Amino acid sequence: RDLAFNKKTMENKQTASQLTFSLDLLPQVAKHIEFLEHVAEVQDLRNENILKHAAYRYENYWLPLAAEHPNECLAAPVDIEWIWLCHMLSPKQYESDCLSVVGTVINHTFYSGQERQQLLQVTENHWLQIYGPNEEPFTMEPKSICNENTTDTTTSLSYDVVAAALRQESFYDKISSTENRNGENQTSSLDRYKQFIYLCKLLPTLFFSPPIDVDLFWHTHQANPQAYKSDMCRILKRLLNHDDTSTSDKEFKEASALTGTHWEMLYREPWLAEMSKYN
């Protein structure tokens, strides 16, 4: 019986390891962490009024601009980029909102800090050509946004991106450890992410909650929306959603426990013990 279990375990691991994605997630994860570090340094992005104005800028200025330049590499100002990232973490609503607002799904990828600086200059030129110098500044100006914000920042988005940004505020603290920046650990986490996706493939009706190292790869994958949809539809035959808006702490704990149980049954590996170095 043990031999049969061991054989099945090895088959499961091998099948999971053979999953392929349409982009190299390892360099994207490094750039993702770099961007989150930048966000963590911008204290203004913890202010709800500023986030509301960023959401307004994102919907009314950024999405239309990006839709006008679908084949160019563009970089958004940090306030818009942060809202954009949080929006993509609910892939079904992101797709729906993009189609509703601009008629197409806007793609995204991460750039290094140096790459972003170069692309921001190009992008600002496009912004000025469309909106002029007086309508809405390209760079966020927090001092112009008073505490009692009187600007109409109502959006038509189905996903509350401001609430999402406030929820995601602590994500960098969770992944900022040196372990998550270590190349060897990241390679191991990529393998675990493949195992997580394979688990979702085998048990499609269950709600699973991954640990932080796997979640980092999941977020990174979703932040490349065209690749993510293509990969999920090819592997799972569906777009795997990621949305914590209606999930309580209790439900998350139950989902995490459920994930651990099935993980250990499938791979015969200690799910929580593996995570001790990341917590």
Side-chain angles (χ1 to χ4, degrees):
R1 184 178 178 182
D2 285 343
L3 288 175
F5 269 123
N6 287 336
K7 182 179 179 182
K8 187 61 178 176
T9 298
M10 293 303 297
E11 289 175 353
N12 290 331
K13 288 182 178 181
Q14 183 176 13
T15 302
S17 70
Q18 291 173 343
L19 295 182
T20 60
F21 304 129
S22 53
L23 78 163
D24 188 347
L25 284 174
L26 286 171
Q28 278 290 288
V29 161
K31 293 174 182 180
H32 185 182
I33 293 174
E34 184 180 4
F35 175 70
L36 291 177
E37 183 176 20
H38 179 38
V39 169
E41 293 170 349
V42 182
Q43 293 297 314
D44 291 316
L45 293 179
R46 301 174 186 267
N47 182 303
E48 187 171 354
N49 283 333
I50 288 176
L51 291 173
K52 287 179 179 179
H53 193 73
Y56 172 80
R57 281 159 49 79
Y58 166 70
E59 179 183 0
N60 293 280
Y61 294 93
W62 179 255
L63 290 179
L65 183 148
E68 286 287 325
H69 302 275
N71 299 318
E72 288 192 55
C73 297
L74 302 179
V78 64
D79 63 316
I80 293 175
E81 180 86 10
W82 176 228
I83 291 293
W84 192 8
L85 172 57
C86 293
H87 196 188
M88 288 182 288
L89 297 184
S90 182
K92 289 184 177 180
Q93 286 177 286
Y94 177 72
E95 180 177 279
S96 175
D97 286 337
C98 280
L99 292 174
S100 176
V101 174
V102 292
T104 187
V105 178
I106 305 300
N107 201 27
H108 172 273
T109 196
F110 288 108
Y111 301 108
S112 69
Q114 184 177 359
E115 291 169 336
R116 271 184 55 78
Q117 287 305 311
Q118 294 173 347
L119 292 173
L120 281 169
Q121 295 177 11
V122 175
T123 309
E124 184 172 10
N125 289 334
H126 288 315
W127 183 288
L128 291 173
Q129 288 174 6
I130 295 178
Y131 305 122
N134 301 316
E135 182 175 350
E136 175 68 29
F138 179 69
T139 303
M140 176 181 63
E141 297 182 357
K143 292 182 180 179
S144 68
I145 305 172
C146 62
N147 290 331
E148 300 297 329
N149 197 344
T150 57
T151 304
D152 183 5
T153 54
T154 304
T155 79
S156 64
L157 302 177
S158 66
Y159 188 63
D160 189 341
V161 290
V162 172
L166 292 171
R167 286 195 305 273
Q168 291 297 324
E169 180 183 301
S170 63
F171 189 72
Y172 174 71
D173 293 335
K174 297 176 182 178
I175 56 91
S176 61
S177 66
T178 56
E179 286 87 350
N180 280 309
R181 295 171 181 267
N182 180 281
E184 184 176 342
N185 286 342
Q186 287 181 351
T187 300
S188 175
S189 295
L190 175 58
D191 292 337
R192 284 161 55 78
Y193 176 57
K194 291 180 179 181
Q195 290 177 306
F196 173 73
I197 296 300
Y198 185 58
L199 184 63
C200 294
K201 177 181 176 68
L202 293 181
L203 301 167
T205 62
L206 298 182
F207 170 57
F208 294 124
S209 178
I212 195 65
D213 70 315
V214 174
D215 209 22
L216 173 60
F217 274 82
W218 195 10
H219 284 203
T220 303
H221 202 175
Q222 290 172 90
N224 290 266
Q226 289 183 4
Y228 182 73
K229 181 176 182 179
S230 174
D231 291 339
M232 293 302 102
C233 289
R234 172 173 50 83
I235 297 169
L236 304 181
K237 310 304 180 187
R238 61 191 171 98
L239 181 60
L240 181 61
N241 205 32
H242 173 287
D243 183 4
D244 61 354
T245 56
S246 60
T247 309
S248 66
D249 288 342
K250 179 182 177 182
E251 288 172 316
F252 265 123
K253 290 179 181 178
E254 291 174 349
S256 181
L258 182 68
T259 309
T261 297
H262 284 287
W263 180 279
E264 292 175 13
M265 289 174 58
L266 192 64
Y267 302 119
R268 303 193 78 182
E269 291 179 350
W271 173 256
L272 293 179
E274 283 290 322
M275 289 312 302
S276 61
K277 64 182 178 182
Y278 297 104
N279 292 332

